[in-house]
Amino acid sequence: MNTSLSWIKRYVPDLDVTAREYADAMTLSGTKVENFEELDRDLKDIVVGEVLTCEPHPNSDHLHICTVNVGKGEPLQIVCGAPNVAAGQKVPVVLEGGRVAGGRDGGRTAGGIEIKAGKLRGVESHGMICSIEELGSTRELYPEAPEYGIYVFPEDTEVGADAIELLGLHDAIIEYEITSNRVDCYSVIGIAREAAATFGKEFHEPVIKETGNDEKASDYISVEVIDKDLCPRFTARVVKNVKLGPSPKWMQRALASNGIRPINNVVDITNYVMEEYGQPMHSYDYDLIAGHKIIVKRAEDGQEFTTLDGQVRKLDHDVIMINDAEKPVGIGGIMGGENSMITDSVTTVLFEAANFNGTNIRLSSKRIGLQTDASQKFDKGLDPNTAELAVNRACELMVEFGAGEVVGGIVDVYDEKWQPKKVPFEPAKINALLGTSFSGNMMIDIFEKVGLSYDEKENVVIVPTWRQDVLRTCDLAEEVARFYGYDKIPTTLPSGAATAGKLQFDMRVLALARDVAEDCGFSQAYCYSFESRKAFDRLMFAENDPLRNAIEIANPLGEDFSIMRTTSLNGMLTSLATNYNRRNKNVRLYEHGNIYLPKSLPLTELPDERMQFTFGMYGEGDFFDMKGVVELLLRKLGMAKKPEYTKETLKNYLHPGRQAQIFYEGVRIGEIGEVHPLVRRNYEIGDRAYVAVIDIPAVLPFATFDRKYTGIAKYPAVTRDISMIVPHAVTAAEIEKVIAQRGGKILESYRLFDIYEGAPITKGFKSMAYSLVFRHPDKTMEESEITSAMNKILNGLERMNIELRK
C-alpha cells in the first residue's frame, strides 16, 4: 500500500511533519512504514522563469541561447539544449548553486547535481532550464510534460515562484506494510485516521454531498443477486450526459503516487475512490448493458470470458460473474469485460460498488491467473457498509468535475446488514495486560481518536464494522498501548505465581525412557506414521483383528502410505530388516511415536492417538535381556512394584512360547516377546529378533519422579535358598507372586538363580531355585521370625503342587 504524504494531509490538514518523523511515528503506532521517498530531497533553488528571448547558438546546431527573467535582478543568460524551448514560455529554472535530481532518465544522484556558472561552446550560461525528469519525476506523474524537452508552466504562472511547490514536489511517497487483519488501512482514509490519532491531530473525513436529479435509478437499472453467499451487497447508480475527458491534475498525481496510470475522468474517479475508501468500484457503459439489468451469479464450468485487458479467461463454477440480461459483462471483484468498457462514445455510465466473498475472490483470482488492485483488496474481506459510501462519493466527484448528471436514488441489494460489534469495557483488565494504571477516561479518549465509541449505559465499546480486528479486551488494550506509545509504557515484571520452566510430565517420561534405552545400547529410530495395509498381512494379524481398522488417508502419496498406523511393530521390524540386510550385527533400536486408533469408521471424531515406546533387537541378547530393559525402565519411572507377565492373550506375530503381555497393578501396559519365525521371514530378518512395546498413556498414571530416601540398613540380613520341583505349566511369575504375598514385611528381596530341566528331574517338571533375603528395619531378627515367614511361603507353594527338592 502506497500513499503520498500530501494525500494524507487532505484529511489531516494540521499534520506538519517531515517524512522521516511521519515514518518513525507511524511505525511505532502500528502502521509500519516500509520505505519512503522524498520527491524534493535533491532539489534546491528552483524557480519559475520566463524565457524573454531564444536565439540559436552560433557554435551548435541544437543549442539555444536564452535570456530568462527569474523575478529578481537582471535576466539570466542560460544555454539550453531542449528542442521545445521558445520565447514567452514559463519554465522551471535552477539558479546558480541550486541542485537538480539527475539525468533525463529520471535517475538520481546522491545529494543531487549542483548547478554552476560555466561556458557551453564558448557562451556563458548562468543556470539551467529543466525537464520533468531532471526534477526527479516522470511523465507518469506529469503526463502533460513533453516526452523530450523542458517542462512548460501555464501562461498565468507567477515568475519567481517556487517551482518545486507549484509542481507539488514538496511531497513524499510512503510505502506501508499492512497486516491482513487491518482491512481499513488498505485505504487512504484508514491510514489518515491512524495518522491523526498518532500525532494527536483532528481527522477530517470527506463529507459526501447528496447528489441526484428527480429521477430514480431503479427506473434505469435493476439488479438481481442470485448467489448472495458470494456477493453480500451490490449497489448501483447511474450518471447520464457524461462528458469524458481528463481528470484534474491533482487527481492524476494522487493516482500516480499510488502507481495507478490516469486514463480519463470516469475511470480515474473509480480508481481514486478505490484508493480513498479501500472499496473497489467499476464503471460500465450503460448503453451496452442488455435489458438494462444486472444479474450476479456463478459462472458455468468451462465458460470463457474476455476481460478488459483483451485476454480470454477460462472460468469455473466457483467464479462469481456480473451479467446483463444476455451475457456476462465482468468478473466480480476482479476485472470488468471488454464488451462493456468505457469508450470515447459513452453517454451514460453505470457505477457499481459491491462486496464479494474475500476467500472466493482470492481463490478465483489464483485459478484464472488474474490479480488486480481490486482483487487484492477484496480478498482481505471488506466491510460491505463501505460500498454505499464509495458509490455516492464517485457520483459527487462526477458533479464536482462537471462530468455528468447524476440520476437520483440508488439500487442497493443488501439483505444481511453488518452491525457494529460491542466489546465490554474493562479498564482493570486492560491495565493488568499492559502493566499500567491508566484511567478509563484516558482510554476512551484514545478509542474515540480511532473511530471507536463508548456506550456508558451498557459499558461497552462500539466497534464500527470497518474495524474487523477489534474483537475482545486484548484488542482494546492494543489500541491503548500503541497510541499512548509503546516506548512510554514502563517496564514491569510479570504478575502472578512464578513457575519453574521445565518439560511437561509426559515429556519427562519420554526423556527418561530415551536415556534408559540409550544406556542399554539402543539407538533411536524414526518410522513413518503412514503405512500400507500390507503390513497387517506381514505381521500375520487375524482377519478380525481390530487393529486392521485403520484410518484411510484422503490424499496418500501412494499405496505404501495410504493408512495411519495402528501398531508400531511394522516400522520397527522394517528398520531391523534394513540393518540386517546391510550386515549390521547386534542391532538394538528404539522408537517413540503415536499410533492412531479410530473410535469409529468413517471418522466422526478425532482418533485415539497413543504414544508407544518400542524396543527391537537382534544379535546378542535374548528374551530375558529385553525383559530386563523393560523392568529397568519401569523402576526408573518410579514404578516400584514388579510387573506381571501373562500369556492369556497370544499374538500371532510373536513366538507362541516366548511372549507375554505386561501388566502393572492389573492394567495392561505393554507386550514383550520374540518375533514369530514366519514374521521374521516376511521381513527377511535371518536372526532371532525380540521386541517390546510400552503403552505410554497406560504407564503415566503409575509413573512418578518423587523419590523417598532410605538410609543404609542398620541390622543384618538373613539369606535362605530354596530349590523346588515345579510342574512345567507353573511360571516363575506365579511362584514370585506367592513369595511376595507370604514373605511379609521382613522379606527384602528374592531372586531366581537357577532353572533346570532334564535327568534326574521327572519329565513334565523343572527345577527352580530362589534366593530370599530377610531383614527387619528396626532390630536383629530371631530365627523364629524367619522360620515363620519361610513356612508361609512353602505352604503357599505346596498348594501349587510344588515340592522342595531333596
Side-chain angles (χ1 to χ4, degrees), residues 1 4 6-8 10-11 186-189 206 247-258 260-262 264-281 377 390 393-394 396-397 400-401:
M1 177 70 187
S4 64
S6 62
W7 199 346
I8 299 297
R10 289 179 183 272
Y11 314 109
Y186 284 91
S187 67
V188 181
I189 284 179
S247 56
K249 289 182 179 179
W250 64 264
M251 178 174 282
Q252 294 183 31
R253 288 168 189 168
L255 292 173
S257 69
N258 278 31
I260 299 175
R261 181 174 60 88
N264 57 52
N265 50 7
V266 174
V267 175
D268 290 356
I269 283 173
T270 60
N271 286 333
Y272 181 84
V273 172
M274 176 179 69
E275 296 301 305
E276 185 178 41
Y277 281 90
Q279 168 65 53
M281 290 188 59
K377 284 182 164 57
R393 174 66 164 156
E396 179 191 42
L397 290 171
E400 181 181 329
F401 297 166

Side-chain angles (χ1 to χ4, degrees), residues 154-228:
E155 293 182 2
D156 57 353
T157 306
E158 179 185 352
V159 175
D162 183 348
I164 303 173
E165 183 176 352
L166 289 175
L167 289 168
L169 292 173
H170 288 310
D171 201 357
I173 305 300
I174 314 294
E175 178 186 353
Y176 307 88
E177 180 183 325
I178 307 297
T179 55
S180 57
N181 67 323
R182 288 305 306 273
V183 180
D184 57 304
C185 286
Y186 284 91
S187 67
V188 181
I189 284 179
I191 292 176
R193 186 182 287 109
E194 292 285 305
T198 298
F199 292 98
K201 304 295 183 181
E202 188 174 349
F203 171 66
H204 295 264
E205 187 171 355
V207 178
I208 301 175
K209 299 176 183 176
E210 187 176 343
T211 57
N213 57 23
D214 295 334
E215 298 176 284
K216 293 182 179 180
S218 56
D219 294 335
Y220 280 76
I221 191 75
S222 63
V223 176
E224 179 184 5
V225 179
I226 295 176
D227 294 296
K228 296 183 179 180

Side-chain angles (χ1 to χ4, degrees), residues 222-240:
S222 63
V223 176
E224 179 184 5
V225 179
I226 295 176
D227 294 296
K228 296 183 179 180
D229 57 324
L230 301 184
C231 180
R233 189 177 194 183
F234 194 102
T235 67
R237 294 198 69 178
V238 178
V239 181
K240 63 181 186 178

Side-chain angles (χ1 to χ4, degrees), residues 405-422:
E405 180 185 354
V406 177
V407 174
I410 182 174
V411 176
D412 188 0
V413 179
Y414 189 20
D415 291 346
E416 297 183 13
K417 188 173 182 179
W418 279 26
Q419 299 295 336
K421 297 183 291 290
K422 296 180 179 181

Side-chain angles (χ1 to χ4, degrees), residues 272-534:
Y272 181 84
V273 172
M274 176 179 69
E275 296 301 305
E276 185 178 41
Y277 281 90
Q279 168 65 53
M281 290 188 59
H282 192 67
S283 55
Y284 301 91
D285 187 332
Y286 172 80
D287 295 323
L288 298 179
I289 303 298
H292 296 161
K293 182 175 184 178
I294 292 292
I295 304 172
V296 185
K297 64 179 182 178
R298 295 172 184 266
E300 297 178 1
D301 288 328
Q303 179 179 346
E304 293 185 343
F305 180 69
T306 304
T307 47
L308 278 171
D309 57 2
Q311 300 294 313
V312 177
R313 311 287 177 177
K314 192 169 183 178
L315 312 175
D316 59 48
H317 180 69
D318 289 324
V319 176
I320 189 71
M321 296 295 293
I322 313 299
N323 306 267
D324 61 18
E326 299 175 356
K327 61 186 181 301
V329 294
I331 303 177
I334 299 178
M335 184 178 281
E338 192 178 49
N339 56 6
S340 61
M341 65 186 295
I342 299 297
T343 63
D344 293 342
S345 61
V346 66
T347 58
T348 305
V349 168
L350 173 66
F351 279 129
E352 164 234 305
N355 183 266
F356 298 99
N357 180 284
T359 302
N360 176 264
I361 294 299
R362 182 176 68 254
L363 296 176
S364 297
S365 177
K366 185 177 181 179
R367 288 197 308 277
I368 66 179
L370 179 59
Q371 190 176 63
T372 61
D373 290 336
S375 69
Q376 288 179 320
K377 284 182 164 57
F378 273 124
D379 68 23
K380 306 296 187 299
L382 300 183
D383 173 17
N385 290 333
T386 309
E388 184 177 0
L389 290 173
V391 74
N392 289 339
R393 174 66 164 156
C395 291
E396 179 191 42
L397 290 171
M398 288 290 287
V399 172
E400 181 181 329
F401 297 166
E405 180 185 354
V406 177
V407 174
I410 182 174
V411 176
D412 188 0
V413 179
Y414 189 20
D415 291 346
E416 297 183 13
K417 188 173 182 179
W418 279 26
Q419 299 295 336
K421 297 183 291 290
K422 296 180 179 181
V423 179
F425 180 48
E426 301 170 297
K429 284 189 177 181
I430 293 175
N431 280 322
L433 283 170
L434 301 179
T436 55
S437 56
F438 299 143
S439 68
N441 289 334
M442 179 267 198
M443 297 179 188
I444 292 170
D445 288 342
I446 290 177
F447 297 153
E448 291 176 347
K449 290 179 181 178
V450 290
L452 312 181
S453 58
Y454 173 63
D455 186 327
E456 185 176 1
K457 184 178 180 180
E458 296 186 39
N459 192 35
V460 294
V461 175
I462 309 297
V463 182
T465 52
W466 42 263
R467 280 302 299 270
Q468 300 177 34
D469 61 307
V470 179
L471 303 173
R472 50 188 68 89
T473 300
C474 60
D475 299 320
L476 295 179
E478 182 183 8
E479 297 301 296
V480 173
R482 65 194 188 97
F483 289 115
Y484 176 77
Y486 290 112
D487 54 328
K488 298 178 184 177
I489 295 178
T491 302
T492 56
L493 291 173
S495 60
T499 57
K502 60 181 180 181
L503 293 175
Q504 295 176 348
F505 182 76
D506 58 339
M507 299 297 289
R508 294 175 67 193
V509 168
L510 282 177
L512 179 59
R514 287 195 298 268
D515 290 343
V516 170
E518 290 167 8
D519 288 345
C520 293
F522 288 78
S523 299
Q524 186 170 8
Y526 289 92
C527 304
Y528 290 114
S529 294
F530 299 165
E531 292 185 339
S532 168
R533 288 194 178 276
K534 296 176 184 176

